[in-house]
Each structure stands twice: as structure tokens, then as C-alpha cells.
Amino acid sequence: MALIRGSLYYTLEEVHTWLNEPHPQLGGEKAIDLIKNDRMPEVLAVIDRLDNTVFI
């Protein structure tokens, strides 16, 4: 789900980077780690902000 939604904004290479690098909107954690630990809603919340063009 995150990969599909992320690909609306980024190339697959950029999505891979986004998933595997610490992200400030995820408290410095990697999206992939949150997904693996059943914390997908936090990742989707960041993607939702992209959908709504809300930047923090």
C-alpha cells in the first residue's frame, strides 16, 4: 500500500530511498521499520499529508 501510494509522487528508486532512510515526520525512524512493526498507520499518515499537500 505505501509503495503504491508513494509511487504517485516518486520514482520507484525514490520510494525505495524514502522507505529505507530515517524520516523527520516519522520521528527519525525508517518507514520500512514501522511497516515491519505493524505501524503502517503512521507511514500512511505521512503519505496522506502528501496527498493533501500539507507539509510540516
Side-chain angles (χ1 to χ4, degrees):
M1 171 72 78
L3 179 63
I4 293 168
R5 290 189 60 197
S7 67
L8 295 172
Y9 304 102
Y10 304 105
T11 66
L12 288 179
E13 183 176 316
E14 290 170 327
V15 170
H16 180 269
T17 299
W18 189 87
L19 288 170
N20 290 285
E21 294 292 325
H23 195 282
Q25 291 187 41
L26 296 171
E29 296 186 67
K30 299 175 188 175
I32 196 71
D33 292 338
L34 297 181
I35 292 167
K36 289 178 182 178
N37 289 301
D38 296 321
R39 293 171 61 191
M40 177 68 87
E42 294 171 64
V43 175
L44 293 177
V46 173
I47 296 171
D48 284 341
R49 288 193 287 273
L50 287 174
D51 284 344
N52 294 305
T53 62
V54 174
F55 298 96
I56 298 175

Coordinates of all heavy atoms in Angstrom, one line a residue:
M1 N 0.8 -1.2 0.0 CA 0.0 0.0 0.0 C 0.9 1.3 0.0 O 0.7 2.1 -0.8 CB -0.9 0.0 1.2 CG -1.7 1.3 1.4 SD -3.0 1.6 0.3 CE -4.3 0.6 0.9
A2 N 1.8 1.3 0.9 CA 2.7 2.5 1.0 C 3.5 2.6 -0.3 O 3.7 3.8 -0.8 CB 3.6 2.4 2.2
L3 N 4.0 1.5 -0.9 CA 4.7 1.6 -2.1 C 3.9 2.1 -3.2 O 4.3 2.9 -4.0 CB 5.3 0.2 -2.4 CG 6.1 0.0 -3.7 CD1 7.4 0.9 -3.6 CD2 6.5 -1.4 -4.0
I4 N 2.7 1.6 -3.4 CA 1.8 2.1 -4.4 C 1.5 3.5 -4.3 O 1.6 4.3 -5.3 CB 0.5 1.2 -4.4 CG1 0.8 -0.2 -4.8 CG2 -0.5 1.8 -5.4 CD1 -0.3 -1.2 -4.6
R5 N 1.1 4.0 -3.1 CA 0.7 5.4 -2.9 C 1.9 6.3 -3.1 O 1.8 7.3 -3.7 CB 0.1 5.6 -1.6 CG -1.3 4.9 -1.5 CD -2.1 5.2 -0.3 NE -2.3 6.7 -0.2 CZ -2.6 7.2 1.0 NH1 -2.8 6.5 2.0 NH2 -2.8 8.5 1.1
G6 N 3.1 5.8 -2.6 CA 4.3 6.6 -2.8 C 4.7 6.8 -4.2 O 5.3 7.8 -4.6
S7 N 4.4 5.8 -5.0 CA 4.8 5.9 -6.4 C 4.0 6.9 -7.2 O 4.4 7.2 -8.3 CB 4.7 4.5 -7.1 OG 3.4 4.1 -7.2
L8 N 3.0 7.4 -6.6 CA 2.2 8.5 -7.2 C 3.0 9.8 -7.3 O 2.8 10.6 -8.1 CB 0.9 8.8 -6.5 CG -0.1 7.7 -6.5 CD1 -1.3 8.0 -5.5 CD2 -0.6 7.4 -7.9
Y9 N 4.0 9.9 -6.4 CA 4.8 11.1 -6.2 C 6.2 11.0 -6.6 O 6.9 11.9 -7.0 CB 4.7 11.6 -4.8 CG 3.3 11.8 -4.3 CD1 2.7 10.9 -3.5 CD2 2.6 13.0 -4.7 CE1 1.4 11.1 -3.0 CE2 1.3 13.1 -4.3 CZ 0.7 12.2 -3.4 OH -0.6 12.4 -3.0
Y10 N 6.7 9.7 -6.5 CA 8.2 9.5 -6.7 C 8.4 8.3 -7.6 O 7.6 7.5 -7.8 CB 8.8 9.2 -5.4 CG 8.6 10.2 -4.3 CD1 7.7 10.1 -3.3 CD2 9.3 11.4 -4.4 CE1 7.5 11.1 -2.3 CE2 9.1 12.4 -3.4 CZ 8.2 12.2 -2.4 OH 8.0 13.2 -1.5
T11 N 9.6 8.2 -8.2 CA 10.0 7.1 -8.9 C 10.2 5.9 -7.9 O 10.3 6.1 -6.7 CB 11.4 7.3 -9.6 OG1 12.4 7.5 -8.6 CG2 11.4 8.5 -10.5
L12 N 10.3 4.7 -8.5 CA 10.5 3.5 -7.6 C 11.8 3.6 -6.8 O 11.8 3.2 -5.6 CB 10.4 2.2 -8.4 CG 9.0 1.9 -8.9 CD1 9.1 0.6 -9.7 CD2 8.0 1.7 -7.7
E13 N 12.8 4.2 -7.4 CA 14.1 4.3 -6.7 C 13.9 5.3 -5.5 O 14.4 5.1 -4.4 CB 15.2 4.9 -7.7 CG 16.5 5.0 -7.0 CD 17.6 5.4 -8.0 OE1 17.6 4.9 -9.1 OE2 18.4 6.3 -7.6
E14 N 13.2 6.4 -5.8 CA 12.9 7.4 -4.7 C 12.1 6.8 -3.6 O 12.3 7.1 -2.4 CB 12.3 8.6 -5.3 CG 13.2 9.5 -6.2 CD 12.5 10.6 -6.9 OE1 11.3 10.4 -7.3 OE2 13.1 11.6 -7.1
V15 N 11.1 6.0 -4.0 CA 10.3 5.3 -3.0 C 11.1 4.4 -2.1 O 11.0 4.4 -0.9 CB 9.1 4.5 -3.6 CG1 8.4 3.7 -2.6 CG2 8.1 5.5 -4.3
H16 N 12.0 3.6 -2.8 CA 12.9 2.7 -2.0 C 13.7 3.5 -1.0 O 13.9 3.2 0.1 CB 13.8 2.0 -3.0 CG 14.8 1.1 -2.3 ND1 16.0 1.4 -1.9 CD2 14.6 -0.2 -1.9 CE1 16.6 0.4 -1.3 NE2 15.8 -0.6 -1.3
T17 N 14.3 4.7 -1.5 CA 15.1 5.5 -0.6 C 14.2 6.0 0.6 O 14.6 6.0 1.7 CB 15.7 6.7 -1.4 OG1 16.6 6.2 -2.4 CG2 16.5 7.6 -0.4
W18 N 13.0 6.5 0.2 CA 12.1 7.1 1.2 C 11.8 6.0 2.3 O 11.7 6.3 3.5 CB 10.8 7.6 0.6 CG 9.9 8.3 1.5 CD1 10.0 9.7 1.7 CD2 8.8 7.8 2.2 NE1 9.0 10.0 2.6 CE2 8.2 8.9 2.9 CE3 8.2 6.6 2.4 CZ2 7.1 8.7 3.8 CZ3 7.1 6.4 3.2 CH2 6.6 7.5 3.9
L19 N 11.5 4.8 1.9 CA 11.2 3.7 2.8 C 12.4 3.3 3.7 O 12.2 2.9 4.9 CB 10.7 2.5 2.1 CG 9.4 2.5 1.4 CD1 9.2 1.3 0.5 CD2 8.3 2.6 2.5
N20 N 13.6 3.5 3.2 CA 14.8 3.0 3.9 C 15.6 4.0 4.6 O 16.7 3.7 5.1 CB 15.6 2.1 2.9 CG 14.9 0.8 2.6 OD1 14.8 -0.1 3.4 ND2 14.3 0.8 1.4
E21 N 15.3 5.3 4.6 CA 16.0 6.3 5.2 C 15.2 6.9 6.4 O 14.0 7.0 6.3 CB 16.3 7.4 4.2 CG 17.3 7.0 3.1 CD 18.7 6.7 3.5 OE1 19.1 7.4 4.5 OE2 19.3 5.8 2.9
P22 N 15.9 7.3 7.5 CA 15.2 8.0 8.6 C 14.4 9.2 8.0 O 14.9 9.9 7.2 CB 16.3 8.4 9.5 CG 17.4 7.5 9.2 CD 17.3 7.2 7.7
H23 N 13.2 9.3 8.6 CA 12.3 10.4 8.1 C 11.9 11.3 9.3 O 11.4 10.8 10.3 CB 11.1 9.8 7.4 CG 10.3 10.8 6.6 ND1 9.5 11.7 7.1 CD2 10.3 11.0 5.3 CE1 9.0 12.5 6.2 NE2 9.5 12.1 5.0
P24 N 12.1 12.6 9.1 CA 11.7 13.5 10.2 C 10.2 13.5 10.6 O 9.9 13.6 11.8 CB 12.1 14.9 9.7 CG 12.2 14.8 8.3 CD 12.6 13.4 8.0
Q25 N 9.3 13.2 9.7 CA 7.9 13.1 10.0 C 7.6 11.8 10.7 O 6.4 11.6 11.1 CB 7.1 13.3 8.8 CG 7.1 14.8 8.3 CD 6.2 15.0 7.2 OE1 5.0 14.6 7.2 NE2 6.6 15.8 6.2
L26 N 8.5 10.9 10.8 CA 8.3 9.6 11.4 C 9.2 9.5 12.7 O 9.6 8.5 13.1 CB 8.6 8.4 10.5 CG 7.7 8.3 9.3 CD1 8.2 7.3 8.3 CD2 6.3 8.0 9.7
G27 N 9.6 10.7 13.2 CA 10.4 10.7 14.4 C 11.8 10.2 14.2 O 12.4 9.7 15.1
G28 N 12.3 10.4 13.0 CA 13.6 9.9 12.6 C 13.7 8.4 12.4 O 14.8 7.9 12.1
E29 N 12.6 7.7 12.4 CA 12.6 6.3 12.1 C 12.4 6.1 10.6 O 12.0 6.9 9.9 CB 11.5 5.6 12.9 CG 11.6 5.7 14.4 CD 10.6 4.9 15.1 OE1 10.6 3.6 15.0 OE2 9.8 5.5 15.8
K30 N 12.7 4.9 10.2 CA 12.6 4.5 8.8 C 11.2 3.9 8.6 O 10.7 3.1 9.4 CB 13.6 3.4 8.4 CG 15.0 3.8 8.5 CD 15.9 2.6 8.2 CE 17.4 2.9 8.5 NZ 18.2 1.8 8.4
A31 N 10.5 4.3 7.5 CA 9.2 3.9 7.2 C 9.1 2.3 7.1 O 8.2 1.7 7.6 CB 8.7 4.5 5.9
I32 N 10.1 1.7 6.5 CA 10.2 0.3 6.4 C 10.1 -0.4 7.7 O 9.5 -1.4 7.9 CB 11.3 -0.2 5.5 CG1 11.1 -1.7 5.0 CG2 12.7 -0.1 6.2 CD1 10.0 -1.8 4.0
D33 N 10.8 0.2 8.7 CA 10.9 -0.4 10.1 C 9.5 -0.3 10.7 O 9.0 -1.2 11.4 CB 11.9 0.3 10.9 CG 13.3 -0.1 10.5 OD1 13.5 -1.1 9.8 OD2 14.2 0.7 10.8
L34 N 8.8 0.8 10.5 CA 7.5 1.0 11.1 C 6.5 0.0 10.4 O 5.7 -0.6 11.1 CB 7.0 2.4 10.9 CG 7.8 3.5 11.5 CD1 7.2 4.9 11.3 CD2 7.9 3.3 13.0
I35 N 6.6 -0.2 9.1 CA 5.7 -1.1 8.4 C 6.0 -2.5 9.0 O 5.0 -3.3 9.2 CB 6.0 -1.1 6.9 CG1 5.5 0.3 6.4 CG2 5.3 -2.2 6.2 CD1 6.0 0.6 4.9
K36 N 7.2 -2.9 9.1 CA 7.5 -4.3 9.6 C 7.0 -4.5 11.1 O 6.8 -5.6 11.5 CB 9.1 -4.5 9.6 CG 9.6 -4.7 8.2 CD 11.1 -4.8 8.3 CE 11.7 -5.0 6.9 NZ 13.2 -5.1 7.0
N37 N 6.9 -3.4 11.8 CA 6.4 -3.5 13.2 C 4.9 -3.1 13.4 O 4.5 -2.6 14.4 CB 7.3 -2.6 14.1 CG 8.7 -3.2 14.2 OD1 8.8 -4.4 14.7 ND2 9.7 -2.5 13.8
D38 N 4.2 -3.3 12.3 CA 2.7 -3.1 12.4 C 2.3 -1.7 12.7 O 1.4 -1.4 13.4 CB 2.0 -4.1 13.4 CG 2.2 -5.5 12.9 OD1 2.1 -5.8 11.7 OD2 2.4 -6.4 13.8
R39 N 3.1 -0.7 12.2 CA 2.9 0.7 12.5 C 2.6 1.4 11.2 O 2.9 2.6 11.0 CB 4.1 1.3 13.2 CG 4.2 0.7 14.6 CD 5.5 1.2 15.3 NE 5.6 2.6 15.5 CZ 6.7 3.2 15.8 NH1 7.8 2.5 16.1 NH2 6.7 4.5 16.0
M40 N 1.9 0.7 10.2 CA 1.6 1.2 8.9 C 0.8 2.5 9.0 O 1.0 3.4 8.2 CB 0.8 0.2 8.1 CG 0.4 0.7 6.8 SD 1.7 1.0 5.6 CE 1.9 -0.6 4.9
P41 N -0.2 2.7 10.0 CA -0.9 3.9 10.0 C -0.1 5.2 10.1 O -0.4 6.2 9.5 CB -1.8 3.8 11.3 CG -2.0 2.3 11.4 CD -0.7 1.7 11.0
E42 N 1.1 5.1 10.8 CA 2.0 6.3 10.9 C 2.6 6.6 9.5 O 2.7 7.8 9.2 CB 3.1 6.0 11.9 CG 2.6 5.8 13.3 CD 3.6 5.3 14.3 OE1 4.6 6.0 14.5 OE2 3.4 4.2 14.8
V43 N 2.9 5.6 8.8 CA 3.5 5.8 7.4 C 2.4 6.4 6.5 O 2.7 7.3 5.8 CB 4.1 4.5 6.9 CG1 4.6 4.6 5.5 CG2 5.2 3.9 7.8
L44 N 1.2 5.8 6.6 CA 0.2 6.3 5.7 C -0.2 7.7 6.1 O -0.6 8.5 5.2 CB -1.0 5.3 5.8 CG -0.8 4.0 5.2 CD1 -2.1 3.1 5.4 CD2 -0.4 4.0 3.8
A45 N -0.1 8.1 7.3 CA -0.4 9.5 7.7 C 0.5 10.5 7.0 O 0.1 11.5 6.6 CB -0.3 9.6 9.2
V46 N 1.8 10.1 6.9 CA 2.7 11.0 6.1 C 2.3 11.0 4.7 O 2.3 12.1 4.1 CB 4.2 10.5 6.3 CG1 5.1 11.3 5.4 CG2 4.6 10.6 7.8
I47 N 2.0 9.9 4.1 CA 1.6 9.9 2.7 C 0.3 10.6 2.5 O 0.1 11.4 1.5 CB 1.4 8.4 2.2 CG1 2.8 7.8 2.2 CG2 0.9 8.4 0.8 CD1 2.8 6.3 2.0
D48 N -0.6 10.6 3.5 CA -1.9 11.3 3.4 C -1.6 12.8 3.4 O -2.2 13.6 2.7 CB -2.8 11.0 4.6 CG -3.5 9.7 4.5 OD1 -3.6 9.2 3.4 OD2 -3.9 9.2 5.6
R49 N -0.6 13.2 4.2 CA -0.2 14.7 4.1 C 0.3 15.1 2.7 O 0.0 16.2 2.3 CB 0.8 15.0 5.2 CG 0.2 15.0 6.6 CD 1.1 15.6 7.7 NE 2.2 14.8 8.0 CZ 2.3 13.8 8.9 NH1 1.1 13.5 9.6 NH2 3.4 13.2 9.2
L50 N 1.0 14.2 2.1 CA 1.4 14.4 0.7 C 0.2 14.6 -0.2 O 0.2 15.4 -1.1 CB 2.3 13.3 0.2 CG 3.7 13.2 0.7 CD1 4.4 11.9 0.2 CD2 4.5 14.4 0.3
D51 N -0.8 13.6 0.0 CA -2.0 13.7 -0.8 C -2.7 15.0 -0.7 O -3.3 15.5 -1.6 CB -3.0 12.6 -0.4 CG -2.6 11.2 -0.9 OD1 -1.8 11.2 -1.9 OD2 -3.1 10.2 -0.4
N52 N -2.6 15.6 0.5 CA -3.3 16.8 0.8 C -2.4 18.0 0.8 O -2.8 19.1 1.2 CB -4.0 16.7 2.2 CG -5.1 15.7 2.2 OD1 -6.0 15.8 1.5 ND2 -4.9 14.7 3.1
T53 N -1.2 17.8 0.3 CA -0.2 18.9 0.2 C 0.0 19.7 1.5 O 0.2 20.9 1.4 CB -0.4 19.8 -1.0 OG1 -1.6 20.5 -0.8 CG2 -0.4 19.1 -2.3
V54 N 0.0 19.0 2.6 CA 0.3 19.6 3.9 C 1.7 19.2 4.3 O 2.0 18.0 4.4 CB -0.7 19.1 5.0 CG1 -0.3 19.6 6.3 CG2 -2.1 19.5 4.6
F55 N 2.6 20.1 4.5 CA 3.9 19.9 4.8 C 4.2 20.4 6.2 O 3.8 21.5 6.5 CB 4.9 20.5 3.8 CG 4.7 19.9 2.4 CD1 3.9 20.6 1.5 CD2 5.3 18.7 2.1 CE1 3.7 20.1 0.2 CE2 5.1 18.2 0.8 CZ 4.3 18.9 -0.1
I56 N 4.9 19.6 7.0 CA 5.3 20.0 8.4 C 6.8 20.3 8.4 O 7.6 19.6 7.8 CB 4.9 18.9 9.4 CG1 3.4 18.7 9.3 CG2 5.4 19.3 10.7 CD1 2.9 17.6 10.2

